[in-house]
Amino acid sequence: MCSPEIVRLAHEGAPRPSRRAVLGLAGLAALATVAPAPAVAAPRSGVVDLTHTLTPRLPVWPGNPPMAMVPVSWHASGGFGQFALGYWEHTGTHLDAPAHRIPGAATTDALAVGDLVAPLVVIDISAEAAVDADAVVTVAHIDDWRSRHGEIPQRAFVAMYSGWERHLADPSAFLNLDERATPHAPGFSAEAAHYLVEQCAIVGAGVDTLSLDCGADPDYGAHTALLGAGCYGVEMLANLAAVPPTGATVVVGAPKHAGGTGGPCRVLALT
């Protein structure tokens, strides 16, 4: 929802909101009435969308402003509709480039495009996450997956499925902050992240939560291990329950802005 003044400017063809106004759009997001679309299980064939719809109500990392969108042009006032978008790079279903954690590492525009299409491996820890918000993917989980499904393909993308999107409609439950404002949600252990890059030669890893690390990990060990090895991450994936543990291909529609540390992306699984 926008203020009457912004709507009037758009309709009357007056000058567009200033850069300062666009950068301040986050303040308007709290007025938005559009809730995030719930994740919908897709059939186990064809194309599965692993992307959450980006709206102002989508949970964001504590301290980050929500995404905002303001109409700046209408069809009636020039023939084309257009919104001004305001969001921090790491909003919604988004990519972490190595530069997000490692100074001087690869930015969004420098990612190898061949790594954005990869065999998809899904490791399911939803049973543990249902009773322990700090559950993590461990080396034991990886070895169990390998005993069931065979070796992890070379240059694979490994995703954690924790079922955390069940909290999506309630941002406070999705963030799950304790009395010290520390978030609690599943992720990869640092040991598992090291194992994946050193023993399995993956291209990237993803989670259905807001962080590659368990939210309570103060050292961000999984981020450091994965991004430090030149891999990329994708956070806040959707619909992982709708793809098989192995056999699918992931396509990451990564952002490509110069010097970027990440950005919202469209992620698809071909099953």
Side-chain angles (χ1 to χ4, degrees):
M1 182 180 294
C2 304
S3 70
E5 177 64 13
I6 290 177
V7 174
R8 185 189 67 77
L9 289 172
H11 275 285
E12 296 179 2
R16 295 181 180 180
S18 68
R19 180 175 181 271
R20 177 177 296 179
V22 171
L23 292 175
L25 293 181
L28 297 173
L31 302 177
T33 58
V34 181
V40 178
R44 290 182 177 272
S45 62
V47 181
V48 179
D49 193 350
L50 303 183
T51 317
H52 287 295
T53 300
L54 191 58
T55 81
R57 293 294 181 87
L58 207 60
V60 294
W61 189 255
N64 288 8
M67 172 263 194
M69 54 190 298
V70 172
V72 294
S73 176
W74 289 113
H75 299 90
S77 63
F80 296 92
Q82 184 173 197
F83 290 88
L85 301 180
Y87 52 77
W88 285 22
E89 286 178 315
H90 300 267
T91 300
T93 301
H94 66 274
L95 179 137
D96 284 2
H100 180 46
R101 179 65 174 165
I102 310 299
T107 53
T108 53
D109 52 314
L111 296 174
V113 293
D115 290 345
L116 301 177
V117 180
L120 175 61
V121 166
V122 179
I123 297 178
D124 185 346
I125 65 164
S126 59
E128 289 123 302
V131 296
D132 180 7
D134 294 321
V136 292
V137 175
T138 64
V139 173
H141 286 119
I142 299 168
D143 287 341
D144 179 67
W145 188 97
R146 293 168 70 189
S147 70
R148 294 170 181 268
H149 307 290
E151 292 301 317
I152 292 177
Q154 288 283 309
R155 312 299 292 168
F157 178 89
V158 178
M160 173 200 76
Y161 170 62
S162 70
W164 204 249
E165 64 192 276
R166 68 183 180 277
H167 298 303
L168 192 67
D170 181 357
S172 64
F174 196 89
L175 292 174
N176 198 26
L177 303 181
D178 63 20
E179 65 278 1
R180 297 182 179 180
T182 299
H184 292 269
F188 284 92
S189 70
E191 294 77 14
H194 279 290
Y195 186 86
L196 287 170
V197 299
E198 294 169 2
Q199 303 297 323
C200 304
I202 66 170
V203 297
V207 293
D208 53 2
T209 59
L210 280 172
S211 177
L212 295 170
D213 293 278
C214 168
D217 180 359
D219 298 320
Y220 304 107
H223 271 91
T224 302
L226 292 162
L227 304 186
C231 300
Y232 63 88
V234 179
E235 295 166 331
M236 211 169 182
L237 289 164
N239 291 324
L240 286 170
V243 296
T246 186
T249 297
V250 70
V251 180
V252 180
K256 192 182 179 182
H257 52 296
T261 72
C265 56
R266 190 70 179 264
V267 185
L268 307 175
L270 311 181
T271 65

